[in-house]
Amino acid sequence: MKTDLSGVTAPLNVSPLVADGLFIRQDEYYKKYFYADILWIEASANYCDFYFKDKSRITVACRLGTVERQLPDAYLVRVHRGFILNLRYVDTWAGNSLRAGGEWFPIGDYYRKNVLACFNILDTSREYPKTGREE
């Protein structure tokens, strides 16, 4: 089955998405927040709290799923039903938790495989010391 696209035309100049940040409405204006400055986003019912590197926080009237769909950056990843983390700031992983910005966050079972696939992990616990001489 073929689709006839003879009457469809594409625009010649497509505007690229400015993919370094997100504009968030603040009263009567929109302010740009860079993805690199976001540490994590936390769900709070129909609101989301954005936490930033400079220790500031803003609350937005938007559900976490809606925010997640607006984030084109591969480093902002959903790790739990209530959290999106900027994986650039994760410095520790232990069991089912990640630490970023000095705070610990749970990894949801549903998200675990995708989240851990984002990290370059060197697991030396299965290597055994070599005995004897090497020739």
Side-chain angles (χ1 to χ4, degrees):
M1 180 176 168
K2 288 195 170 188
T3 304
D4 181 19
L5 298 175
S6 59
V8 177
T9 59
L12 295 176
N13 296 325
V14 178
S15 298
L17 179 67
V18 178
D20 63 346
L22 179 71
F23 283 92
I24 299 175
R25 187 177 178 115
Q26 305 287 311
D27 297 323
E28 58 276 337
Y29 61 92
Y30 289 86
K31 182 177 178 186
K32 185 175 186 176
Y33 292 92
F34 291 100
Y35 297 130
D37 293 336
I38 300 171
L39 287 175
W40 75 85
I41 305 167
E42 182 176 357
S44 178
N46 290 328
Y47 295 88
C48 288
D49 295 320
F50 285 71
Y51 293 84
F52 298 96
K53 283 190 328 185
D54 65 359
K55 308 289 185 205
S56 64
R57 177 181 67 117
I58 63 167
T59 301
V60 177
C62 191
R63 297 183 70 93
L64 192 62
T66 304
V67 171
E68 181 182 19
R69 288 188 294 276
Q70 291 292 113
L71 299 173
D73 196 354
Y75 293 103
L76 289 161
V77 175
R78 187 113 178 225
V79 298
H80 185 270
R81 66 184 174 119
F83 296 102
I84 294 173
L85 284 184
N86 189 332
L87 298 182
R88 292 180 185 118
Y89 298 109
V90 171
D91 60 10
T92 307
W93 161 48
N96 288 328
S97 299
L98 296 170
R99 189 176 76 169
E103 299 288 329
W104 285 94
F105 300 92
I107 304 172
D109 291 338
Y110 179 79
Y111 305 99
R112 183 177 175 83
K113 184 177 178 182
N114 291 334
V115 170
L116 296 182
C118 295
F119 296 114
N120 188 7
I121 300 169
L122 175 62
D123 187 2
T124 59
S125 64
R126 296 181 188 200
E127 290 185 16
Y128 299 100
K130 294 181 180 180
T131 57
R133 285 160 107 195
E134 291 188 21
E135 296 181 29

